């Protein structure tokens, strides 16, 4: 279902019919993260406590915030500001990158939603490959002028945070060496960024930026411009928000939870977020890590390739229970 990008025109005075969700799928009736999302201080001097905080947050929420993560504030603010500037570009400059091909990078697109119900999300998105940098940098957009420099600084910094968090999580799971997620193909896929733009919405009670879902990858690291969007997530100053994806739940044999989340809109201001996705290589065989399955028991999920998982995830539009049911170990 084609739609004009929300960032291309003037502000809407009412929510167009195609964006109005049925009552049972509107923000007031959709599930959200309950309670405050924990804050993990990576600069603390007690490594065991940091690991415990990550494990506790992963078990209960699948989400946490990190502070003292090592990414300079200027690097984060420049990345988010460059993304905001992209969505302010003239329509013809953005549309040069527009595509309905979900595999294309870079790609500007809009309003992916429940196709079978002809519903659209209140969202525009610029999708970019950022790592390996030498593979993607030649295709980064030339406009806005600040974007390339922002990506050069942000890509290695956010990847370092993600790998550090994965090493800490591996330690918490009792995996030998703490490098389970770096060895092999579990994080060998490209690092992809979604710069998301949720325009100011005249009636946030009627629509969603994104419906409840879990990410299909291992871990996602988010930065934003401070405009509320995730229910119950009010980032601490300088914090990055982290959520585990489906692959973490499988590798940990259910010890870690894939964090379900959605995006609500805001009537007063546009929200811009930058989400970096860390994923396996498509051919990676994903399975419960050794030591996460009790003696005499079977893993919760069968072994599968990430490519197989993504096909199922796309087919069920990211529905958490439906996609996991495809891979439950029934032997």
């Amino acid at each position: 279902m084609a739609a004009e990008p929300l960032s291309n025109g003037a502000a809407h005075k009412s929510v167009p019919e195609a964006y109005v969700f049925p009552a049972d799928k509107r923000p007031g009736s959709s599930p959200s993260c309950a309670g405050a999302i924990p804050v993990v201080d990576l600069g603390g001097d007690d490594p065991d406590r940091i690991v415990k905080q990550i494990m506790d947050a992963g078990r209960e929420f699948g989400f946490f915030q990190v502070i003292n993560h090592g990414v300079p504030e200027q690097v984060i603010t420049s990345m988010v500001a460059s993304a905001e500037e992209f969505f302010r570009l003239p329509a013809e400059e953005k549309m040069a990158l527009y595509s309905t091909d979900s595999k294309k990078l870079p790609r500007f697109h809009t309003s992916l939603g429940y196709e079978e119900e002809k519903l659209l999300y209140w969202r525009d998105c610029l999708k970019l490959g950022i790592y390996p940098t030498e593979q993607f940098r030649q295709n980064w957009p030339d406009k806005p002028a600040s974007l390339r420099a922002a990506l050069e600084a942000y890509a290695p910094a956010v990847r370092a945070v993600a790998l550090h968090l994965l090493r800490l999580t591996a330690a918490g799971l009792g995996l030998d060496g703490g490098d389970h997620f770096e060895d092999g193909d579990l994080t060998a896929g490209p690092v992809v960024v979604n710069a998301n733009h949720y325009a100011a919405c005249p009636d946030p009670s009627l629509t969603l930026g994104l419906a409840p879902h879990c990410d299909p990858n291992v871990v996602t690291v988010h930065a934003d411009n401070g405009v509320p969007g995730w229910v119950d997530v009010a980032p601490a100053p300088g914090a990055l928000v982290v959520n585990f994806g489906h692959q973490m739940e499988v590798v940990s044999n259910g010890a870690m939870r894939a964090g379900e989340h959605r995006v609500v809109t805001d009537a007063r201001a546009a929200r811009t977020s930058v989400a970096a996705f860390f994923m396996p290589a498509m051919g990676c065989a994903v399975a419960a890590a050794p030591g996460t399955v009790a003696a005499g028991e079977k893993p919760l999920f069968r072994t599968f390739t990430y490519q197989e998982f993504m096909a199922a995830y796309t087919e069920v539009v990211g529905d958490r229970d439906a996609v996991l049911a495809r891979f439950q170990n029934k032997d």
Side-chain angles (χ1 to χ4, degrees):
M1 183 174 182
E4 179 71 14
L6 293 162
S7 59
N8 278 4
H12 289 271
K13 295 184 179 180
S14 63
V15 177
E17 183 179 353
Y19 294 88
V20 177
F21 277 58
D24 63 338
K25 290 177 179 169
R26 292 177 189 173
S29 58
S30 299
S32 64
C33 303
I37 300 301
V39 177
V40 178
D41 184 351
L42 295 180
D45 56 6
D46 185 345
D48 291 340
R49 179 172 179 170
I50 294 171
V51 169
K52 184 179 184 304
Q53 288 177 331
I54 291 173
M55 301 304 289
D56 288 347
R59 289 188 182 98
E60 184 173 358
F61 300 104
F63 279 99
F64 52 96
Q65 304 178 58
V66 290
I67 59 174
N68 292 320
H69 40 64
V71 184
E73 182 178 359
Q74 181 60 37
V75 170
I76 297 173
T77 57
S78 294
M79 184 69 254
V80 175
S82 293
E84 289 179 308
E85 192 176 353
F86 173 84
F87 293 107
R88 289 194 297 267
L89 289 173
E92 61 272 16
E93 294 182 5
K94 295 197 294 285
M95 294 304 287
L97 295 172
Y98 188 86
S99 177
T100 58
D101 180 358
S102 63
K103 296 181 181 179
K104 183 178 179 182
L105 293 173
R107 175 191 178 211
F108 174 53
H109 64 93
T110 188
S111 303
L112 297 178
Y114 292 105
E115 294 288 337
E116 71 278 7
E117 300 176 18
K118 305 304 182 187
L119 292 174
L120 302 176
Y121 294 135
W122 195 265
R123 168 190 180 238
D124 290 348
C125 179
L126 174 64
K127 186 175 184 178
L128 299 163
I130 66 167
Y131 189 89
T133 308
E134 61 274 12
Q135 176 181 337
F136 294 112
R137 66 157 60 93
Q138 69 270 20
N139 293 321
W140 290 342
D142 293 323
K143 295 181 180 179
S146 61
L147 182 58
R148 284 177 168 263
L151 287 168
E152 287 281 2
Y154 191 72
V158 74
R159 182 172 182 268
V161 171
L163 293 180
H164 181 49
L165 291 170
L166 290 174
R167 285 190 289 270
L168 293 171
T169 304
L173 291 170
L175 304 182
D176 290 341
D179 53 5
H180 183 82
F181 294 97
E182 293 176 77
D183 285 349
D185 290 337
L186 278 172
T187 53
V191 180
V192 174
V193 151
N194 280 358
N196 299 304
H197 176 80
Y198 308 95
C201 179
D203 190 346
S205 71
L206 297 178
T207 190
L208 284 168
L210 283 175
H213 67 285
C214 297
D215 292 342
N217 50 300
V218 178
V219 67
T220 308
V221 182
H222 307 256
D224 63 36
N225 65 346
V227 176
W230 283 6
V231 175
D232 296 327
V233 178
L240 295 168
V241 177
V242 178
N243 68 273
F244 289 137
H246 281 300
Q247 307 316 304
M248 177 61 78
E249 189 161 348
V250 172
V251 170
S252 69
N253 198 42
M256 297 288 97
R257 178 178 177 82
E260 188 176 61
H261 54 291
R262 53 124 187 231
V263 179
V264 296
T265 59
D266 190 278
R268 296 162 298 176
R271 179 175 189 263
T272 300
S273 68
V274 178
F277 300 92
F278 297 83
M279 66 191 76
M282 281 296 177
C284 176
V286 182
T292 61
V293 182
E297 295 186 1
K298 295 179 180 179
L300 296 177
F301 305 98
R302 65 174 176 84
T303 301
F304 53 82
T305 67
Y306 188 55
Q307 183 173 18
E308 181 185 3
F309 185 90
M310 286 304 301
Y313 184 88
T314 302
E315 185 178 335
V316 300
V317 200
D319 182 279
R320 173 188 169 83
D321 293 335
V323 70
L324 288 179
R326 302 280 186 97
F327 301 99
Q328 286 177 343
N329 198 339
K330 300 175 182 179
D331 295 337

